[in-house]
C-alpha cells in the first residue's frame, strides 16, 4: 500500500534556488510538451491518419532531442515525469466520466502553487536529498518537519512552493495490518455541513471554519477593490501582496481543518464497521444555485468518498455505493412508502404539507422521523 505524508521543507538559500528553478522547469516542460502535443494531434486530424496521433513517447523524445544547454543543469527526471503526467491528462480528456473532465491547459507562472516531481529523492539521516545533476558541486540535504513515520520504500515525491513556503508529499510503500472484524455495518448520509451515520452525526462545518470563511470573504473583497482601483498594477503593490498572503494562509487553514475532520471520521468508520454504505451522488447536478454550490464544495463529498474508499482497501473493509437514483430521502424506513410529485421532500421541506427541512412525515403510516436519520435507515436496509 502507498501511504503519503505531507511535510514542511526548510531549504537553505542554495536549495531554495534549486527548488524554484525546478518548479519553473516543470512548468516549462509541461507547456512545451502540451504545445507539441496539440500540434501533432491537429496534424493527425488534418491528414486523417491515426498513426500520426501523439503519444507520451513521441513528445518526450522530441523534447529530449531538442534540449537546450541550460536544461542539462537540471534534473532529467523533471522533464520525463512532466510528460508522463501530460500523457495521463490527455488520456483523461477522452474519458468524460472523469470528475474534472476537460482538455489539458497551459500552466501559468502567476499560479499561487508551483511544483515538480522526482522519483530519485532519498531520505538520508532524516533529511530529504534530491538527485544532483552532473557538473553541480554545491548541494545540500533539505531539513523537513511533520513526518510521523519514515518506514517503507520512497516513491515519486511531489515538491511544491506556496505562499513562500515549501512542502513535500512523501509516498511510502508499506504493509498495513488489517483491522479486526466487528460484524457491524453502517450507513452514511452526506449533507451540507454534517455527515449522519448509524451512531450519530459529524459536523463538517464547525464554528472555527465559519469564522475563517468570513475572513476569507473579507480578504477577497479587499483584493477585488484594489484591482478595481489600480487595475493590472494592483498585484505589484506591497499591500496587495500582503493581503493575498493572508488569504492563502486562511485557505490553507481551512483545508487542514476539513481534512482533519474527514480523516478522523473515516478512520472511526473503518475501525468500528465492516461494511459502510454511502450514496453515489452526482454533485455537479446538485449545484442548483451559487449558494448551494458553495455549501456542497465546502462539505467535501468527493474527498470523503475518496478517503473512505482507500482506507477500506487498506484495512480489509468494504464500501458499498447505493444507486444515485435510490430514494433514500423520499422513502419511509418504517413502511417503505415512497413520496412522489408534490409530496416530495425538498431543500426547504414540503410547501404543500408545510413540513420543515429536517423532518420526515410519512403520509401512509403517519410516522414522524428526523429526515437524515430516516435516510440512514433506508441506506442501511440495502445491506440487510
Amino acid at each position: 500500500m502507498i501511504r503519503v505524508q505531507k511535510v514542511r521543507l526548510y531549504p537553505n538559500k542554495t536549495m531554495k534556488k534549486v527548488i524554484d528553478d525546478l518548479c519553473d522547469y516543470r512548468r516549462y516542460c509541461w507547456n512545451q510538451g502540451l504545445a507539441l502535443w496539440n500540434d501533432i494531434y491537429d496534424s493527425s486530424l488534418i491528414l486523417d491518419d491515426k498513426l500520426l496521433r501523439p503519444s507520451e513517447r513521441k513528445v518526450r523524445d522530441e523534447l529530449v532531442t531538442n534540449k537546450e544547454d541550460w536544461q542539462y543543469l537540471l534534473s532529467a527526471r523533471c522533464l520525463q515525469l512532466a510528460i508522463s503526467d501530460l500523457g495521463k491528462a490527455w488520456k483523461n480528456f477522452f474519458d468524460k466520466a472523469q470528475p474534472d473532465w476537460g482538455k489539458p491547459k497551459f500552466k501559468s507562472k502567476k499560479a499561487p502553487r508551483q511544483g515538480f516531481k522526482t522519483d530519485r529523492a532519498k531520505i538520508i539521516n532524516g533529511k530529504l536529498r534530491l538527485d544532483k545533476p552532473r557538473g553541480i558541486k554545491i548541494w545540500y540535504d533539505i531539513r523537513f518537519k511533520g513526518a510521523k513515520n519514515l518506514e517503507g520504500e520512497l516513491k515519486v515525491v511531489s515538491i511544491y512552493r506556496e505562499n513562500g513556503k515549501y512542502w513535500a508529499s512523501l509516498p511510502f510503500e508499506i504493509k498495513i495490518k488489517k483491522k479486526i472484524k466487528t460484524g457491524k455495518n453502517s450507513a452514511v448520509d452526506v449533507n451540507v455541513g454534517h455527515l449522519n451515520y448509524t451512531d450519530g452525526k459529524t459536523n463538517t462545518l464547525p464554528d472555527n471554519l465559519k469564522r475563517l470563511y468570513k475572513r476569507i470573504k473579507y480578504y477577497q473583497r479587499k483584493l477585488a477593490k484594489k484591482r478595481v482601483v489600480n487595475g493590472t498594477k494592483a498585484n505589484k503593490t506591497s499591500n496587495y501582496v500582503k493581503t493575498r498572503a493572508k488569504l492563502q494562509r486562511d485557505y490553507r487553514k481551512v483545508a487542514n481543518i476539513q481534512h482533519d475532520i474527514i480523516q478522523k471520521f473515516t478512520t472511526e468508520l473503518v475501525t468500528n464497521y465492516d461494511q459502510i454504505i454511502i450514496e453515489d451522488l452526482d454533485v455537479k447536478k446538485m449545484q442548483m444555485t451559487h449558494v448551494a454550490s458553495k455549501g456542497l464544495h465546502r462539505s467535501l463529498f468527493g474527498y470523503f468518498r475518496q478517503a473512505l474508499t482507500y482506507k477500506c482497501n487498506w484495512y480489509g473493509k468494504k464500501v458499498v455505493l447505493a444507486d444515485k437514483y435510490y430514494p433514500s430521502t423520499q422513502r419511509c424506513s418504517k413502511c417503505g412508502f415512497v413520496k412522489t410529485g408534490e409530496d416530495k421532500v425538498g431543500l426547504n421541506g414540503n410547501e404543500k404539507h408545510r413540513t420543515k427541512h429536517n423532518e420526515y412525515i410519512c403520509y401512509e403510516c403517519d410516522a414522524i422521523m428526523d429526515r437524515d436519520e430516516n435516510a440512514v435507515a433506508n441506506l442501511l436496509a440495502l445491506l440487510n
Side-chain angles (χ1 to χ4, degrees):
M1 297 292 181
I2 302 294
R3 174 174 282 177
V4 181
Q5 298 190 60
K6 180 181 175 182
V7 298
R8 170 98 181 266
L9 300 179
Y10 296 89
N12 57 21
K13 288 184 179 180
T14 302
M15 297 312 294
K16 277 184 181 180
K17 179 70 167 57
V18 170
I19 294 175
D20 291 342
D21 289 345
L22 287 171
C23 289
D24 293 339
Y25 185 46
R26 158 86 180 194
R27 187 180 66 251
Y28 171 83
C29 294
W30 175 279
N31 291 341
Q32 291 290 316
L34 181 56
L36 180 59
W37 201 298
N38 288 336
D39 291 341
I40 298 174
Y41 182 70
D42 293 340
S43 300
S44 67
L45 292 180
I46 294 171
L47 299 174
D48 195 20
D49 188 353
K50 290 185 178 181
L51 296 177
L52 297 177
R53 292 281 174 88
S55 66
E56 180 184 326
R57 183 174 180 178
K58 285 182 183 178
V59 174
R60 184 188 65 233
D61 290 348
E62 182 69 21
L63 292 180
V64 170
T65 303
N66 298 319
K67 260 188 171 185
E68 302 286 347
D69 292 341
W70 61 268
Q71 292 180 256
Y72 290 97
L73 300 176
L74 299 167
S75 173
R77 295 299 296 160
C78 191
L79 183 149
Q80 294 165 7
L81 291 172
I83 302 306
S84 175
D85 288 344
L86 178 60
K88 293 174 185 175
W90 193 269
K91 185 179 179 181
N92 291 338
F93 171 55
F94 295 98
D95 183 8
K96 291 188 177 182
Q98 294 292 327
D100 295 323
W101 174 81
K103 194 173 182 180
K105 299 179 181 179
F106 291 98
K107 306 290 185 183
S108 171
K109 66 178 181 181
K110 295 181 180 179
R113 179 167 170 166
Q114 304 283 344
F116 68 96
K117 292 183 179 180
T118 178
D119 57 358
R120 292 182 179 173
K122 297 178 181 178
I123 304 293
I124 306 294
N125 297 327
K127 294 183 179 180
L128 183 67
R129 179 176 295 177
L130 302 178
D131 56 314
K132 183 172 71 170
R134 290 183 180 180
I136 303 297
K137 294 183 179 179
I138 301 175
W139 204 258
Y140 300 95
D141 295 341
I142 302 173
R143 187 169 57 90
F144 61 84
K145 289 183 179 180
K148 296 180 180 178
N149 192 347
L150 298 176
E151 295 179 358
E153 182 183 355
L154 187 63
K155 295 296 184 180
V156 180
V157 177
S158 298
I159 297 173
Y160 60 94
R161 180 190 70 237
E162 187 175 21
N163 196 21
K165 297 178 182 178
Y166 297 87
W167 307 84
S169 295
L170 306 178
F172 293 94
E173 187 172 4
I174 59 174
K175 291 183 179 179
I176 298 177
K177 295 180 180 179
K178 303 294 183 183
K179 295 278 188 183
I180 300 172
K181 298 290 183 181
T182 61
K184 296 193 296 183
N185 300 330
S186 181
V188 181
D189 179 49
V190 292
N191 298 281
V192 175
H194 58 91
L195 301 170
N196 289 74
Y197 66 112
T198 310
D199 290 338
K201 181 173 73 171
T202 294
N203 186 11
T204 56
L205 286 174
D207 291 338
N208 56 346
L209 270 184
K210 293 177 182 177
R211 287 194 295 269
L212 281 171
Y213 280 129
K214 285 183 179 179
R215 214 156 64 191
I216 285 171
K217 186 176 180 180
Y218 167 73
Y219 290 139
Q220 286 175 332
R221 287 183 172 180
K222 198 172 181 180
L223 291 176
K225 288 179 181 178
K226 289 181 181 295
R227 286 194 294 269
V228 170
V229 174
N230 299 324
T232 56
K233 296 181 180 179
N235 56 1
K236 296 180 181 179
T237 62
S238 58
N239 285 337
Y240 187 93
V241 173
K242 288 178 183 178
T243 306
R244 186 174 60 187
K246 292 177 182 178
L247 176 65
Q248 292 171 349
R249 177 201 62 193
D250 286 346
Y251 268 126
R252 188 167 59 251
K253 285 183 179 180
V254 166
N256 291 340
I257 293 171
Q258 288 179 322
H259 289 182
D260 181 64
I261 292 170
I262 297 296
Q263 289 290 336
K264 288 179 179 177
F265 179 56
T266 50
T267 300
E268 179 186 349
L269 289 175
V270 296
T271 302
N272 297 333
Y273 304 103
D274 295 341
Q275 290 189 91
I276 304 114
I277 183 169
I278 60 175
E279 293 174 293
D280 184 17
L281 297 175
D282 191 348
V283 177
K284 286 191 176 180
K285 291 185 179 179
M286 295 169 64
Q287 296 176 351
M288 294 170 286
T289 64
H290 72 282
V291 178
S293 299
K294 188 179 290 185
L296 289 168
H297 175 72
R298 292 175 177 178
S299 297
L300 297 179
F301 291 169
Y303 182 69
F304 165 71
R305 176 175 166 176
Q306 179 189 24
L308 183 62
T309 301
Y310 75 69
K311 285 187 180 181
C312 285
N313 292 334
W314 281 0
Y315 300 118
K317 302 302 177 78
K318 184 180 179 182
V319 175
V320 180
L321 294 177
D323 187 84
K324 64 177 67 176
Y325 299 110
Y326 178 67
S328 60
T329 304
Q330 310 300 334
R331 182 180 180 272
C332 176
S333 59
K334 303 292 185 182
C335 67
F337 172 73
V338 179
K339 296 182 178 182
T340 57
E342 293 183 353
D343 294 334
K344 278 188 173 183
V345 181
L347 290 174
N348 298 317
N350 184 279
E351 294 183 4
K352 179 182 176 182
H353 299 278
R354 296 184 179 180
T355 58
K356 298 178 182 178
H357 164 76
N358 61 339
E359 74 176 347
Y360 182 92
I361 300 175
C362 179
Y363 309 134
E364 191 72 18
C365 65
D366 296 328
I368 301 176
M369 297 168 283
D370 181 83
R371 170 180 171 160
D372 299 325
E373 292 176 1
N374 177 62
V376 169
N378 284 325
L379 290 170
L380 195 60
L382 292 176
L383 293 177
N384 301 329

